Amino acid sequence: MSRAWLIGAGPGDAELMTVKAMRTLASADVVLVDDLVNPEILELARADAHIVHVGKRGGSPSTPQHEIIATMLAHLRAGRSVARLKGGDPFVFGRGGEELEALRAAGVKVEVISGVTAGIAAPATLGIPITHRGMAQGAIFVTGHGADDKEPDWRALAATGLTLVVYMGIRRVDDIADALLQAGLPGDTPCVAIESATLPKQREVLTTLDRLPAGVSQAGLGSPAILVIGSVAALARKDAAALPGRTLTVGLGFRRGVTVDQIEAAIGTCLAPNTIADVATVATLETKAGEPALTAFCERYRLPLVTFSAQDIQACFSRYPALRTSPHVQTHLGVDGVCEPCALLAAADGMLIREKQALDGVTVAVAVSGQSDKQDRSRTS
Ligand code: SAH
């Protein structure tokens, strides 16, 4: 009998296919393709290849599994080589295992060609590593679909403290968030939902667990989407200012020689009940920009640092005269009044939501940027 391949087409972007997948696809007589596969990829098939679409999207009509296998076997028995092309990796929620078993049982030799799975590629587009030293010792791929009435044991999953990467969960995001909150995951656990990852139409919502369902429904996100739940989601940054949920700017002052942990603790305290996951930008005086602890903090959270000159600060005082006369703004650490102006300047006509707090050699004020939506304002008030 002829050759058969189970091929991973990658998450969407045609360039995320492997070289082996490309080469193999270009040799096949018949290609059976799922509907999550980017149509551009089919251009890599031979011009005379027979292409069979076997859509299997949740909710829409699809070719039953036994028919897919029967079609493959019919072509193989007729002496044609068959490439079975699947989105992402064929063995990650792709039913590749079942197809492999059926083909093997029929005496067919099958080669599996791995692909880049959406659960890794989607977060990677935002700079989220699903494992990260000191943050997440591992990651769990889980289906949120609840097929066959078998719900994942969310309580057990929450207890692991690992990054949860949920496939097929966007339509049930309310139930999933509920279950994880009930299982004891804190409401401020960072989360991101990413739709159509790696494609030009990619959209994402960066938020926290308690706001995930509302965020997804406000943005109108739908399938296909990946949910990433866990502290690594706070590392997300694309165009930080444009990320929903990231509307806060932090104005910072500090003594020379502070540690990154002191900066982190002070910012965390001043932000509460918000978290560093809500921060789009860190701002300080330009003379402070080179402080190693500050650089380390911005790197740790992948946050951009913007700096302002003494003249910028003066200009800000002219725009907000109340700041110049506020003793609260003007006193601290001998570096008078930089936190509030820096936060406001970086927020581009935003408003101050936290006055300066001083903690352990660090002073922090927080502003919300002008474009923030109502919900963000209400949460921070
Ligand atoms: N084998 C595939 C997964 C198939 S299950 C893989 O390894 O990636 C289908 C689910 O994968 C979708 O419901 C969605 O959760 C996820 N998915 C696939 N492509 C995606 C994409 N481009 N962006 C976001 N999620 C995607």
Side-chain angles (χ1 to χ4, degrees):
M1 218 180 317
S2 328
R3 305 191 60 181
W5 302 277
L6 284 177
I7 303 179
D13 179 351
E15 299 212 315
L16 286 174
M17 224 177 150
T18 66
V19 176
K20 190 165 194 167
M22 262 176 74
R23 243 190 311 113
T24 309
L25 179 59
S27 76
D29 296 318
V30 180
V31 181
L32 278 85
V33 60
D34 281 348
D35 55 8
L36 267 185
V37 173
N38 183 346
E40 279 174 34
I41 285 175
L42 291 177
E43 289 167 21
L44 301 169
R46 271 191 359 231
D48 63 340
H50 178 53
I51 311 278
V52 187
H53 291 272
V54 289
K56 282 163 66 84
R57 281 289 279 285
S60 57
S62 63
T63 313
Q65 197 65 28
H66 65 86
E67 256 180 55
I68 294 177
I69 289 162
T71 307
M72 283 196 275
L73 285 174
H75 285 295
L76 288 162
R77 289 186 176 126
R80 292 185 277 269
S81 61
V82 173
R84 175 75 176 98
L85 193 57
K86 290 169 167 291
D89 182 274
F91 281 175
V92 180
F93 303 122
R95 303 189 72 173
E98 293 164 49
E99 293 179 19
L100 181 68
E101 272 177 5
L103 292 171
R104 276 186 178 159
V108 180
K109 263 201 177 160
V110 186
E111 187 181 353
V112 180
I113 300 175
S114 298
V116 177
T117 190
I120 294 174
T125 62
L126 301 173
I128 301 173
I130 58 170
T131 70
H132 196 56
R133 256 171 83 101
M135 227 186 218
Q137 280 63 49
I140 294 173
F141 288 175
V142 58
T143 170
H145 189 262
D148 316 324
D149 297 317
K150 266 209 200 120
E151 191 69 18
D153 184 345
W154 296 109
R155 188 165 293 278
L157 294 178
T160 63
L162 303 180
T163 306
L164 301 181
V165 180
V166 185
Y167 290 68
M168 297 173 276
I170 198 81
R171 292 206 190 93
R172 297 192 55 236
V173 66
D174 297 38
D175 294 342
I176 293 167
D178 252 13
L180 288 171
L181 288 169
Q182 293 215 351
L185 270 195
D188 64 359
T189 303
C191 293
V192 62
I194 312 161
E195 178 196 277
S196 298
T198 76
L199 293 167
K201 61 184 176 185
Q202 171 171 337
R203 298 190 304 150
E204 60 274 317
V205 168
L206 177 71
T207 181
T208 48
L209 186 57
D210 52 358
R211 296 165 72 198
L212 179 64
V216 164
S217 92
Q218 272 167 18
L221 289 199
S223 188
I226 288 285
L227 306 173
V228 180
I229 300 161
S231 48
V232 291
L235 301 175
R237 198 163 91 70
K238 191 179 177 190
D239 174 0
L243 280 174
R246 293 209 152 210
T247 52
L248 304 184
T249 61
V250 166
L252 209 59
F254 47 85
R255 292 207 177 95
R256 295 279 174 211
V258 288
T259 65
V260 61
D261 291 337
Q262 285 171 319
I263 290 182
E264 186 182 80
I267 291 178
T269 303
C270 188
L271 277 169
N274 292 90
T275 67
I276 295 174
D278 298 316
V279 174
T281 311
V282 177
T284 193
L285 207 56
E286 61 189 10
T287 52
K288 298 255 174 187
E291 186 75 20
L294 180 58
T295 310
F297 174 80
C298 290
E299 261 170 30
R300 184 179 283 182
Y301 288 97
R302 303 219 175 182
L303 284 167
L305 176 69
V306 297
T307 58
F308 297 101
S309 65
Q311 290 96 309
D312 293 329
I313 305 287
Q314 288 313 314
C316 185
F317 284 146
S318 309
R319 251 192 297 148
Y320 301 92
L323 293 183
R324 194 195 296 276
T325 52
S326 158
H328 187 86
V329 170
Q330 293 299 338
T331 348
H332 272 305
L333 298 177
V335 192
D336 292 345
V338 299
C339 292
E340 281 88 347
C342 283
L344 281 167
L345 287 165
D349 295 316
M351 66 178 192
L352 211 55
I353 59 159
R354 301 271 191 288
E355 283 191 325
K356 177 162 51 197
Q357 286 186 37
L359 193 79
D360 210 7
V362 184
T363 54
V364 187
V366 183
V368 63
S369 69
Q371 300 89 346
S372 78
D373 62 34
K374 271 209 185 87
Q375 200 192 343
D376 282 324
R377 275 171 200 265
S378 65
R379 182 166 186 253
T380 51
S381 60

